[in-house]
Amino acid sequence: MRLVLLAVPLVFYALFFAYPVAAIIGRGLRDGGAWQLSPAAEVLSDPGIRKVLWFTLWQAAASTALTLALALPGAYVFARLDFPGKRLLHAAVTVPFVLPTVVAGAAFLALLGRGGLLEDLWGIRLDTTVWAILLAHVFFNYAVVVRTVGGLWAQLDPRQEEAARVLGANPAAAWRRVTLPALAPAVASAALMVFLFTFTSFGVVQILGGPRYATLEVEIYRQTAQLLDLPTAAVLTLLQFAAVGALLLLHARTVRRAETSLRLVDAGSAAHRPRGAGQWSLLTAVLLSIAVLLLLPLAVLVERSLSGPDGYGFAYYRALTNTDSGTFVVAPWEAIGHSLAYGAVATLIALIVGGLAAAALTRRAGRFTRGFDALLMLPLGTSAVTVGFGFLIALDEPPLDLRSSWILVPLAQALVGVPFVVRVLLPVLRAVDDRLREAASVLGASPLRVWREVDLPLVRRAALVAAGFAFAVSLGEFGATVFIARADTPTLPVAVARLLGRAGELNYGQAMALSTILMLVCAATLLVLERLRPGRTGEL
């Protein structure tokens, strides 16, 4: 039965992930039917490439450390303290994570860049600097730490730490010896995920980094789309693939450690109103940091979209209905409908593929199952640029002649959505009592009916949450879509990037308007998900 469930996900990943990636690598490293290894030595000895590799590692490490330092106090506040508006704020801190990276870049460009708010008010401009990139990465990944670490922290039994206090340990020692060891796997898991996302950063660095700074992903895009140097792009893709594979193996080990037996309580039962000046001060500091790091860039995005040439108004929004700028062959507002339609199809695909994969992985098995679980995460770290360009190269001949088909965009978006569906559904499916399934089977129910009558009612809410996350991340997919979205059917992230890439106040204002619309759609989706979310539905 497990192999039957795995068949669809395996075929999907083989056709629309492994095959395009292998095609682009083969095109770059094969010459006359023979593999050429010489490009690898030449690429890795290039001083410019080594500078890119160093910056990629350095900024990922710095972004991870800064995110942990700023988000861990937030994880404690959401896990242990109860205060008015907590649920709404919990949803708000997740909005940046599902925003397209180009929108996050646009938000910090509006705040820190040329003509941004800080320059207008105080003459401060940080565009094309490392600090802008690091802060944008914190903005983007804050929710990863809060959700991953805070989710476990909320379920740790506080009586264990209280017992240590009774035995004479001071608060710092009790936290260090009791709570920290229990949280260590979750902290390590969050750190690895943040490092993975920042190591493969594309949209943020592309917008904020300028020509001086480039990550491995940005360099792959430059070598592929601008220089047409496929051998160099192939070598860099393999290098990134190896790094991502190592990170995912480490992540899998930390997740298994996190699943070891701990004394847990119901999430939220340990939360209490702040006590004493220390907890009130911590709550105030966390709320202030959220307001400055997360909410201010989004507010500036809205402000820039309303700041027209004749004062505040909706001039840039009205300009979305015409094609006078020459940036698109259709009016920019049509990108909204295209994104919603593509996102809906991508969500359906992700639910089918991810749901079958999660059902197959419900019962823990051997190395094959663990390996397949890691495989499902690969699209999150593999170069989306390589996948998108690989679609154009690999899927252009029968029986998969999809090069001119609209379905390419939802397929690329679904690759990013499937890991989120699996991560949301898998913990819930594993929590279903096997005795319920066995009783239904004994009474004569077929496997399909067992799933329909037992599993589906218990995971329906989690499936809605998974669909919401898949829809939100599909809306924001950019790296692959930038290659395969047609000029007459651009998605919102592609439209924003194209507008930001052209000079002129009108193009900039339209980019801010489209970014604001996309932000509002993602925010509305997250607010609905927060109301639907069961007690435990995965890390995010």
Side-chain angles (χ1 to χ4, degrees), residues 160-182:
Q160 298 179 71
E161 190 171 325
E162 292 169 1
R165 296 280 304 279
V166 169
L167 293 174
N170 59 44
W175 184 86
R176 187 177 66 253
R177 296 177 181 176
V178 177
T179 304
L180 183 58

Side-chain angles (χ1 to χ4, degrees), residues 64-83:
T64 302
L66 190 59
T67 302
L68 288 175
L70 294 173
L72 283 175
Y76 170 81
V77 165
F78 282 108
R80 291 302 198 199
L81 302 184
D82 191 20
F83 52 91

